[in-house]
Amino acid sequence: MDFSVNEITKQVAATAKEFAEKKIRPHIMEWDERQEFPVQVFKEMGKLGLMGVLVPEKYGGSGLSYFEYSAIIQEIAQVDGSIGLSLAAHNSLCTGHILSFGNEVQKETYLPKLASAEYIGAWGLTEPGTGSDAGNMQCVAVRDGDDWVINGTKTWITHGKTGDVAVVMCRTGAPHTRNNSTAFIVPRGTAGFKSGKKENKLGMRASETAEMIFEDCRVPDSARLGEVGEGFIQAMKVLDGGRISIAALSLGIAKGAFTASVNYAKERHQFGKPIAEFQGISFKLADMATEIKAAELLIDHACDIKSRNENVTQASAIAKYFASEVAVKVATDAVQIFGGYGYTKDFPVEKFYRDSKLCTIGEGTSEIQKLVIAREVFKQ
């Protein structure tokens, strides 16, 4: 495997970094304090091709690989994890689902608008009573002639309030039976589709998280993605790729916290010398650097497998599990290095600390990643 960074990846990363510094960094705490989802920023990213990274050029996307995708998310997340999270959710989940399982009409209808950010995408799997237990979904779609009628609630949905179009997994069979769910594309404005509570979160506050509520929401059979009963299988394949993006998000947060820590350790003096010269601090930084590099290699490994269209289930789960735990550890140590200043909003690491925790929860908790990894081990 050759993980040397090519010129395209370097150029794409540089574009994302420049955008993050100019358009995101000046507003980080303003958006965080107000829990504001800055839609216009995503519209601008759409113009740069960052909202359809993996979408082929024939559908208006950038047609790039997972290596470029990972690099983009990392650069954005080093500045603001919440913007990186929304970028990842839009690309990997809603857009990625339609790209992977939509028919030609669905792709031509939705992908150009998602890739340009004319549409912001949402993706609904989780419910109030079902997270990883998706076989027991209570959001149900019932066939009625040429239509489907959807009833139920989805929760913890990124862009659940603002998203212009959602891919929604609904139960179409009996609970806890095989092949009992189906995916549908539901545009905002469809009668019976509305947003519910917006969550007031610890971190990732500029990434909108809200309920989606369906009350006798009628959609045509042409809105169905793939065959009846394939929804859960599709969702798991979508999450395989999505977990790479959350791993990249985690790595970006870790890198941001690490860079801030190194700079502070050089500048902060105690007992007549920079604290970087004290072994207690330098060893923390050494551990951070080592764990970040290990996470980076695991992500590159998963990107390589995904780019070759091979089974990436185990590799993406390993990358997501390890990188997310590294993000939390690095951010925690960063606060410790900053001391009292690290506990204030005047310095960047407290936000990295708050944002990092979501990475161990979203798109499957660390415990779920261990289950996925173990299952793949036993298969082998």
Side-chain angles (χ1 to χ4, degrees):
M1 294 176 286
D2 180 11
F3 293 152
S4 57
V5 182
N6 63 39
E7 285 304 312
I8 294 176
T9 305
K10 289 179 182 177
Q11 291 171 12
V12 168
T15 297
K17 182 176 182 178
E18 181 181 11
F19 181 86
E21 292 294 337
K22 289 183 178 179
K23 299 292 186 177
I24 298 174
R25 190 177 294 281
H27 307 287
I28 292 172
M29 294 313 296
E30 168 193 346
W31 295 335
D32 185 76
E33 293 287 344
R34 296 203 308 237
Q35 198 164 207
E36 176 184 347
F37 177 57
V39 176
Q40 187 54 41
V41 168
F42 292 89
K43 302 291 186 184
E44 293 180 46
M45 285 197 285
K47 294 177 183 177
L48 292 176
L50 304 184
M51 296 293 275
V53 180
L54 303 170
V55 175
E57 292 181 21
K58 71 174 183 177
Y59 300 120
S62 299
L64 297 173
S65 77
Y66 261 79
F67 287 101
E68 286 80 50
Y69 182 36
S70 172
I72 289 166
I73 294 173
Q74 287 179 51
E75 292 295 344
I76 299 295
Q78 286 183 65
V79 175
D80 190 340
S82 57
I83 303 301
L85 173 62
S86 277
L87 180 68
H90 173 92
N91 275 280
S92 291
L93 301 181
C94 179
T95 305
H97 200 138
I98 295 172
L99 177 62
S100 295
F101 298 104
N103 59 39
E104 199 59 30
V105 172
Q106 291 167 334
K107 290 178 181 179
E108 291 176 353
T109 300
Y110 293 104
L111 291 181
K113 293 181 178 181
L114 287 164
S116 67
E118 178 182 344
Y119 282 0
I120 300 295
W123 191 78
L125 177 64
T126 305
E127 299 181 2
T130 60
S132 301
D133 182 20
N136 193 34
M137 287 190 294
Q138 299 304 301
C139 185
V140 176
V142 177
R143 188 73 182 256
D144 183 19
D146 293 332
D147 295 338
W148 292 84
V149 180
I150 303 173
N151 281 283
T153 299
K154 296 292 182 179
T155 192
W156 305 112
I157 307 304
T158 306
H159 315 143
K161 187 182 179 80
T162 302
D164 300 286
V165 60
V167 172
V168 185
M169 270 55 67
C170 303
R171 183 162 55 79
T172 50
H176 294 300
T177 58
R178 292 178 61 84
N179 304 323
N180 71 344
S181 65
T182 305
F184 298 91
I185 302 172
V186 187
R188 184 73 63 180
T190 302
F193 174 25
K194 64 181 181 180
S195 60
K197 176 188 176 185
K198 179 179 176 179
E199 302 297 340
N200 188 7
K201 300 177 296 181
L202 169 71
M204 300 290 196
R205 290 172 59 81
S207 178
E208 176 188 280
T209 306
E211 291 179 323
M212 297 192 301
I213 300 171
F214 301 89
E215 296 175 343
D216 293 328
C217 177
R218 185 176 290 270
V219 297
D221 188 54
S222 60
R224 174 170 47 82
L225 278 160
E227 298 301 319
V228 174
E230 290 183 348
F232 182 73
I233 296 170
Q234 293 176 6
M236 293 304 100
K237 291 180 179 178
V238 168
L239 286 173
D240 278 348
R243 284 166 179 159
I244 297 175
S245 70
I246 300 302
L249 173 69
S250 304
L251 181 57
I253 291 171
K255 285 182 174 180
F258 175 69
T259 299
S261 298
V262 170
N263 292 338
Y264 183 78
K266 291 177 180 177
E267 297 166 0
R268 174 70 166 170
H269 284 66
Q270 290 286 281
F271 305 102
K273 60 182 179 181
I275 63 172
E277 295 184 17
F278 291 100
Q279 191 177 80
I281 300 299
S282 65
F283 278 17
K284 281 187 184 297
L285 294 170
D287 285 340
M288 288 175 169
T290 302
E291 290 162 346
I292 285 171
K293 179 55 68 176
E296 192 172 66
L297 290 169
L298 287 172
I299 293 167
D300 283 346
H301 176 59
C303 287
D304 179 62
I305 293 173
K306 182 67 175 175
S307 295
R308 288 188 277 112
N309 293 317
E310 296 178 6
N311 186 340
V312 76
T313 299
Q314 186 183 60
S316 64
I318 288 173
K320 195 269 188 189
Y321 167 52
F322 187 82
S324 64
E325 294 292 340
V326 164
V328 172
K329 186 176 185 302
V330 168
T332 300
D333 284 346
V335 172
Q336 199 70 19
I337 289 170
F338 272 74
Y341 291 117
Y343 206 63
T344 71
K345 293 182 182 291
D346 295 326
F347 290 81
V349 292
E350 69 85 29
K351 185 175 184 300
F352 287 125
Y353 180 70
R354 288 186 288 112
D355 286 348
S356 67
K357 189 57 192 170
L358 184 278
C359 297
T360 68
I361 299 169
E363 295 199 31
T365 62
S366 290
E367 291 73 20
I368 288 297
Q369 303 313 311
K370 290 180 183 180
L371 284 175
V372 171
I373 295 164
R375 285 172 185 164
E376 292 300 309
V377 167
F378 293 134
K379 284 181 184 178
Q380 296 166 10

